[in-house]
Amino acid sequence: MIIWLNGTFGAGKTTTAHELTALLPESRIFDAEQVGYMLRHVPGLAQGDFQDLKPWRGLVVATASQLLDHLGGTLVVPQTVLLHPYWQEIHEGLLAAGIPVHHFVLHADRATLARRIATDMKPDSIPARRWRRDHLTLYEEALPWLREAARVIDTTELPPALVAQRIATAVESTGRPASG
């Protein structure tokens, strides 16, 4: 099973993923960005957003499938995917591989997101601030399809531990994918 935590930068995906894996036995985080970082070292591939590379989307599906076949349990994937065709490709690939997918969008209002981005002091976040701010509008434009494709959890006033508890409860109560 996969629990995909979507939403824009600053919504709390990574922190929630860590909280969630502490709640769910045999769960682990699969950082799909690492697949993108690997592709950046392949000569001949365009630079820029690795999500635009078809191999990234296919390799995320293949890697998740292989990890689940090898390790079992649950993969928690904290990964922003804001382009609907990209999400459909990944989601359909996971379903074709027989992997149930619970898709959640962690949401916060723009002011909260901007504040979180500006105050994130993790070393890797400082050079990425501009990128993250620049994607707020894309996130807002994606919200209509995201609301249809996932269960939305507003993280504006909720601590990550409570967000994780709500996700765990939703997954455990359904026993099947929350949405596509």
Side-chain angles (χ1 to χ4, degrees):
M1 168 175 57
I2 286 180
I3 300 172
W4 196 288
L5 303 180
N6 206 341
T8 196
F9 309 101
K13 296 179 304 296
T14 301
T15 305
T16 299
H18 287 285
E19 295 282 347
L20 189 56
T21 57
L23 296 173
L24 300 175
E26 296 185 40
S27 66
R28 59 201 42 84
I29 294 173
F30 167 46
D31 185 352
E33 280 191 16
Q34 296 300 320
V35 175
Y37 297 148
M38 175 195 70
L39 289 174
R40 288 192 173 146
H41 299 287
V42 176
L45 287 179
Q47 296 300 310
D49 189 342
F50 52 74
Q51 288 191 15
D52 293 332
L53 300 172
K54 186 164 182 62
W56 177 79
R57 300 185 299 277
L59 284 169
V60 165
V61 171
T63 304
S65 179
Q66 289 289 317
L67 287 172
L68 287 170
D69 284 348
H70 184 71
L71 299 168
T74 300
L75 292 181
V76 178
V77 184
Q79 179 66 49
T80 300
V81 178
L82 299 180
L83 296 177
H84 192 222
Y86 293 0
W87 171 251
Q88 286 178 308
E89 186 177 338
I90 292 167
H91 186 249
E92 289 168 8
L94 293 169
L95 293 180
I99 302 169
V101 179
H102 295 265
H103 186 199
F104 293 89
V105 171
L106 305 189
H107 174 78
D109 61 70
R110 188 180 188 104
T112 300
L113 292 168
R115 180 181 46 76
R116 289 178 184 172
I117 292 167
T119 59
D120 187 351
M121 299 312 281
K122 292 187 295 279
D124 64 332
S125 68
I126 294 169
R129 283 185 185 154
R130 181 175 195 83
W131 169 271
R132 293 172 177 171
R133 281 192 311 266
D134 289 349
H135 281 74
L136 291 176
T137 299
L138 184 59
Y139 169 69
E140 290 167 345
E141 292 169 353
L143 269 173
W145 77 259
L146 285 169
R147 290 184 193 283
E148 289 182 21
R151 183 174 297 179
V152 178
I153 299 177
D154 191 330
T155 67
T156 304
E157 299 294 330
L158 295 178
L162 186 52
V163 174
Q165 184 59 55
R166 287 188 181 182
I167 292 168
T169 300
V171 169
E172 290 167 357
S173 71
T174 62
R176 61 189 195 300
S179 64

